[in-house]
Structures are given as C-alpha cells and as structure tokens.
Amino acid sequence: MMTSSEGSSLLAARLDERKGRLLVDVREDITSTQVPELRHAMMQILEKHGFDSWKALYLDVRNARMIDSMGTNWLFAESVRLKEHKKSLVLRISSPAINRVIQFAGLDKLVTVKFRRRKQTR
Amino acid sequence: MIQFETRKPLVLVVEDDPHGRSFMESSLELSGFQVISVSSTEEARQSCEQVGISNISAVLSDYRLPGDSGIHFVNWIRDVDSTIATLIITGQGEKEIVQQSMAAGVFQYLEKPVTHQELREILWVAVERTRTQRKFRSDRQGLQALEHLDQNMNVSVPDTLQSRLKVFYRPLHEIGGDFLITHDFGHNRWVLLVGDVSGHDIRSGFVSTYFQGMFRGCIESGGRLESALQLFNRTLLREGRQSFSHGELISLSVSAIDFGPEDEYIQHWNFGFTPCSLVSESGRLGDCDFGQFPLGWVEDILTESNNLEVRGNQLLYIFTDGLAEFANTLRINHFSLLYRLMHTINGLEGLPEEPSDDILALRYRLNPSMSLEESFEPILSEHYAGTECEHIDQLQANWRRSITFALGDRLGDRLYDLLICIREGMLNALIHGCERSAEKFAHLQVSINESREILRIHIDDPGRGHSFDLKERLEQINQKTGKHLGLGIIQRLSDSFSIENKGTSLVFDFRISAE
C-alpha cells in the first residue's frame, strides 16, 4: 500500500508499506541555501510517518545536479539520526558530481548509494 | 524601341476590359503621367522587361485578369523591384480580395467605378512613394558601401602586428563611432589608440572618421601622442558644441598606448575609457587605471602617461563600453562575451538580443615570442561584496550562464563539479575573508588556456589569511569530522588545487578534456 505525504516544495514523501520503504524525493540541489528547509521538511516527514511502518528511507536525489559541503553535512546528520532508530538510508543518485562528493566525503560507507549516471538536463 | 519622355512618371496599367483600359489611359495622361497600358499579365511582364522596371513609377492592375490574377502580378513586381507602388482595382464588395491585396504589400486598392479625380490623386501619391522608396534604397546602398570602407578604416591592423593583435569590431550602424588606429614608428616602437565617440547614432561615425584623420595627420607629421590628445580635446571644446552637437555635448573616450622599443614597459593614457586589463602568464587578471574624464569635457587635461611594466607572457585587453553593455543585456560577464567574439567567426549570430552600441575589442600579446593559444584568457571576472553570500544561488546561476556562453558544453557533467567548487570557494571568501561586509570585496576570475586545455579559477579575498597546513587540513576531512569539507570538495573535484597568500587566494584548475 502506498500513501502520499504532503512535503515541502523541496521534499515529497510517500510510504511503501509492502516493501517497508519510506520514499522521499529531493526536488532541488542540496546546497547551503536549501539545507535549513530540507532539515525542517525531513523532520516533518519523519514526524508524520513515524518509524514503525518502514525499515529504510530511500532518498531520491536524481533531480539534483550538485551537493555542497552544507548539503553533505545534512545527509551525514540524517544518516546518523536514522541509524539511531535502527533504520537505513539509501541514496539514489544520477549526478556524477554528487556521487564524487559523496564518495570522497566517505558517506558511501555510512549509507547505501545507488548511482546510475544519466545526462543532466537541468 | 519605345521612347519615353523622361520627366513624366511612367505608370503601367493592366486591364483586360478595353473600355476601362481606355478610360484609365486617358485619365492618367490628362493627369500628367506617361502610360503603358496592356490587357494581360504576360504583356505586362514583357513591357517591364522592355522599358526597364526601374523606369516604372507605379503599377495599376485589375484584380480579375484572363488566366491570372492581379495579385500574382504585383507579387512578381515586388520580387523584382520592391520600391514600386502597386495598386489593385477590384469589383464592388470584394473585401477578401482587399485583405489579400494588403497582405501582398499592395500600396492601395481601388473599388470600381473609379473617377478621374480619384485616379489622379492616388497615382500621384503612389508615384511619390516610389520615388521616396528609391531614394531610401539608394542611400542604403551608399551606406553599405561605406560600411566596407569603415571596417577597413576603423580597425586596420598593420601586417607586423597581425600575429599579436586580434580585433573584434561590430559597428551599430554602417559607420561606427568606435575606432582603432595604429602607427608604426619603426625600430619596434608603435602606438595604438582606441577611441569611442559619444552617442549611438550615425553622426558618431562621422565624428570618429574626423578624429582618425586628425590623429593620422598629427602622428605622421612627427607629432607626439600627447599632442594629438591635446588637439582632440581643444577641437572638441572649440568645435564640438557648434559644428557637431546641435546643443548636445560630444566627447571622445580614448585608451592610448605607446609601446616602447624594448617592450619592457608600455605607456598608457586613459580618458574616460573602460579600464584595460592585463592578464598574467598564470591567468591572473588585473585592471589598469580608470584614468581621467573623456576628451571634450574639461579645458585642462593631464597628458602624463601611466607606465605599465611588461612582465612575461601577458595579454592586454581593451574594449569599448558597448561590449560591457551588451554583456549586461545578455546577463553574462563581459569577458565571457569577449571570449566568444574572439573565438568564433559569427559570435553575435543566433543571440536573443542585438547590441545597442558599437563593439570594439582587442587582445594584444605583449611577448612577441609566445603564441596567443599558450596564454590564459579570461572568461569571467567579478568582484562581490561580502553581503553577496546571501545571494549565492543567484551568483551561481550567473557563473553558469557566463561559462556555458563562452565554452558551450565543453565541460560536460564536470560543469557541476566546477560550479560547486566555485561556490565553496566564494562562500569561504565572502563569509570568512570579507566577513559578510558590504565594504569588503572578493574577486572571482575564471580563465582558460586553450593549448593546455585548462580552466583556471582564482578566488581572492581581502582577509588576513591563516597559517594552517593545507595537507594536514585535508587529511582531517578523511577522518569524517565534517570540518573543512568545502576545502576538500575543491581539492577532490578539481584537477589541481593550491592556496596562495596565506590562504587569501584559492587557485584551482579543471582539465577541459577530462570527463
């Protein structure tokens, strides 16, 4: 069963209870300007869905072209928070630029990264 | 061979009805026209060829003709000579025909029955319109011939400088107000003068031509460059308001350079011109002085030059304000536009806007033994106040626009690596170096070295710097502390990275061919 969730303009969430996944789409780049709203929106999503009906949070950042240091820190903080609740974080990435930053920052060792390159159209 | 009286305007009448044709012929002859009257479009075409279409002042055609329509015929006329006024006669109530006539560029339509007076009045107006159109076309042709002359006169570069000096020139009108003059004194000494006459109309072009002649006369008769500048100023003050301006002040902005025989230094004069720029061998860009008022503003001008020392393989850029204005219209950095104009044959083609002023830009290589391709060329240079960190997304959009304007998609996906590195570097400079202050400025510049296929980024801030060990700091990033990540992003995503001036300057390179 899929349930949708009202997110912010930056995040949209829906729950896939059958697979035990909370699916969250990121609609913009993950940069310093967006991080405060991303942090707030993620908190709202987690409050709404709680932690009981899913096991992994799939964060789809395939619409983003880039991530900066503040964005990387936000992802790191979210991964820590989920780990505390014994949940895993899966990142879906299509931007080589984002993948490179995730790798050298070591985030790929803390979360599962699913990288499939596609041409950036934005 | 038909003979025509040369003073009377010649009207071609096409009407298949003999009574109507006879009436129009008589009416027009009584009104002072010469008339050729025919009954079909085939005959009409033959008449045009026989008398020469440029001798015909107006065409009056019935709409309904055997085997053809008057509209087809006037379309043919307009294709051959678009200056001729054409008139169509229709039956009563044929409104659709009227609309078609207007769409085909017909000068006027007449509805039957037409009176003698109507015919006389409308034909005289039509003939006058043809005369005006032909005069206008003749003037345009004359100006187009001048355009070629202007291209040769305004930006002539002697053969000895062809390998060192590259010029882009695009006048707004057929004759431009911007100009470039060079004069070779021999013994490896020569002068260069770039001028921009105020105003955007064709008058500026004529004033520009006047000053070019004056400069050549002055220099070739042994006068010094300073004397020529003094003479320009006096002439503008004395004559400008009377002869040229009709109450409007005309001034001349000048950037002039005297290249010494040993190329160790250059003397530079700037009167109201956009400051010229010198790009160092490593791609660092510096502006020269802002100079004085334009010539023609004040009585006393200082003609002492500013001496610029020549160091290594520098490039000198001089451009008129039309370049910066047009770049602003396109919402890109002016160096981005300059790079494109210097590296493409028709750099202005296909752009969404048209320039609103002349554009004259030149690039000069100070070291004669180096090739232009070995040098770094700027594609972006901007100064930002510390407060601009609040608008970092907007700045990033501007960088992206300028870089892609200059380079197209040569960077591929690495464009985003580059943008994020510039973002990290600029945020560091604006927040820490400029302390978010409106009084402190950071400088971003992006330059390209085509032969080495390198894009080099310099970010300079006015901060006091710091004394950390870069290697040690970058190692800390691998310990996943989360600190100094921005620095690490630049180091990892770029192809080389260094910190200069105790940390107040970041320099990093991207290989263009790398993917």
Side-chain angles (χ1 to χ4, degrees), chain A residues 33 65 69 97 100 117 122, chain B residues 393 400 416-417 424 515:
Chain A
T33 325
R65 301 157 302 179
S69 54
R100 280 191 279 271
R117 182 178 174 161
R122 282 202 300 139
Chain B
D393 287 346
R400 178 181 176 167
Y416 302 102
D417 290 348
E424 291 289 352
E515 177 61 29

Side-chain angles (χ1 to χ4, degrees), chain B residues 386-409:
Chain B
T387 46
E388 289 294 304
C389 63
E390 303 298 325
H391 309 116
I392 193 72
D393 287 346
Q394 186 57 49
L395 303 189
Q396 185 180 300
N398 295 345
W399 305 330
R400 178 181 176 167
R401 224 171 15 249
S402 293
I403 291 167
T404 51
F405 184 86
L407 302 181
D409 59 0

Side-chain angles (χ1 to χ4, degrees), chain B residues 24-247:
Chain B
M24 285 189 268
E25 195 174 331
S26 308
S27 170
L28 291 173
E29 281 176 351
L30 278 172
S31 304
F33 298 99
Q34 283 188 92
V35 181
I36 300 175
S37 61
V38 294
S39 60
S40 69
T41 55
E42 186 56 37
E43 281 181 74
R45 285 189 177 94
Q46 285 172 6
S47 297
C48 288
E49 285 166 14
Q50 204 173 359
V51 301
I53 201 155
S54 59
N55 290 314
I56 298 172
S57 296
V59 172
L60 176 63
S61 175
D62 190 17
Y63 172 70
R64 296 188 187 283
L65 292 165
D68 203 352
S69 95
I71 295 290
H72 288 151
F73 178 63
V74 297
N75 279 338
W76 177 80
I77 287 280
R78 288 186 65 79
D79 286 344
V80 179
D81 185 348
S82 61
T83 60
I84 300 180
T86 52
L87 301 96
I88 288 281
I89 304 175
T90 70
Q92 282 185 330
E94 294 179 307
K95 286 186 180 173
E96 283 185 17
I97 294 167
V98 175
Q99 287 168 347
Q100 285 177 27
S101 303
M102 292 305 180
V106 169
F107 172 63
Q108 187 63 275
Y109 102 95
L110 304 168
E111 203 171 45
K112 290 177 181 175
V114 185
T115 66
H116 166 67
Q117 190 175 346
E118 278 175 339
L119 209 54
R120 183 179 61 197
E121 285 174 3
I122 194 69
L123 257 300
W124 275 114
V125 174
V127 163
E128 178 57 23
R129 191 209 185 227
T130 302
R131 195 193 64 77
T132 309
Q133 290 286 315
R134 284 182 174 156
K135 172 80 169 51
F136 180 68
R137 183 176 66 181
S138 169
D139 289 347
R140 294 292 307 173
Q141 286 168 344
L143 283 171
Q144 277 163 8
L146 272 178
E147 187 177 357
H148 295 295
L149 189 65
D150 182 65
Q151 287 278 350
N152 294 329
M153 292 279 290
N154 278 24
V155 291
S156 66
V157 176
D159 291 343
T160 50
L161 294 177
Q162 290 283 354
S163 63
R164 297 171 72 179
L165 182 62
K166 181 148 188 176
V167 181
F168 176 87
Y169 174 53
R170 153 77 189 258
L172 188 61
H173 305 289
E174 285 76 5
I175 306 173
D178 295 356
F179 61 90
L180 159 70
I181 307 175
T182 56
H183 181 75
D184 193 345
F185 287 102
H187 307 292
N188 209 18
R189 183 185 162 224
W190 62 283
V191 293
L192 176 151
L193 186 141
V194 188
D196 179 0
V197 178
S198 60
H200 294 175
D201 56 12
I202 204 162
R203 187 181 53 185
S204 306
F206 287 102
V207 177
S208 145
T209 309
Y210 177 83
F211 279 109
Q212 289 176 64
M214 189 188 278
F215 179 79
R216 285 182 212 280
C218 196
I219 291 295
E220 284 169 14
S221 62
R224 291 167 57 85
L225 206 149
E226 293 94 319
S227 309
L229 296 172
Q230 292 274 18
L231 183 61
F232 288 177
N233 195 50
R234 282 198 305 273
T235 306
L236 279 163
L237 287 168
R238 188 181 66 241
E239 304 287 341
R241 289 167 205 180
Q242 297 165 22
S243 310
F244 301 130
S245 64
H246 304 286

Side-chain angles (χ1 to χ4, degrees), chain A residues 19-23 54-58 82 87-90:
Chain A
K19 291 183 178 174
R21 292 174 182 175
L22 180 58
L23 308 168
W54 53 276
K55 291 176 184 170
L57 189 149
Y58 277 66
L82 292 175
K87 305 293 176 188
S88 58
L89 175 61
V90 179

Side-chain angles (χ1 to χ4, degrees), chain A residues 29 31-34 65-70 72-73 76 95-98 100-101 104-106 109-110 117-122, chain B residues 390 392-393 396 400 409 412-417 419-420 423-424 427 477-478 480-483 485-486 488-490 492-493 515:
Chain A
D29 293 338
T31 56
S32 54
T33 325
Q34 321 289 2
R65 301 157 302 179
M66 56 176 67
I67 184 167
D68 69 359
S69 54
M70 290 274 283
T72 312
N73 276 324
F76 177 76
S95 158
I98 293 179
R100 280 191 279 271
V101 173
F104 97 78
K109 295 176 183 67
L110 302 175
R117 182 178 174 161
R118 72 180 179 201
K119 189 167 173 61
Q120 303 294 292
T121 52
R122 282 202 300 139
Chain B
E390 303 298 325
I392 193 72
D393 287 346
Q396 185 180 300
R400 178 181 176 167
D409 59 0
D413 283 341
R414 291 209 80 198
L415 172 67
Y416 302 102
D417 290 348
L419 290 173
I420 213 69
R423 182 186 178 104
E424 291 289 352
L427 279 173
I477 296 166
N478 291 334
K480 302 181 188 68
T481 59
K483 281 185 178 176
L485 198 54
I489 285 175
I490 300 173
R492 297 301 180 99
L493 295 188
E515 177 61 29

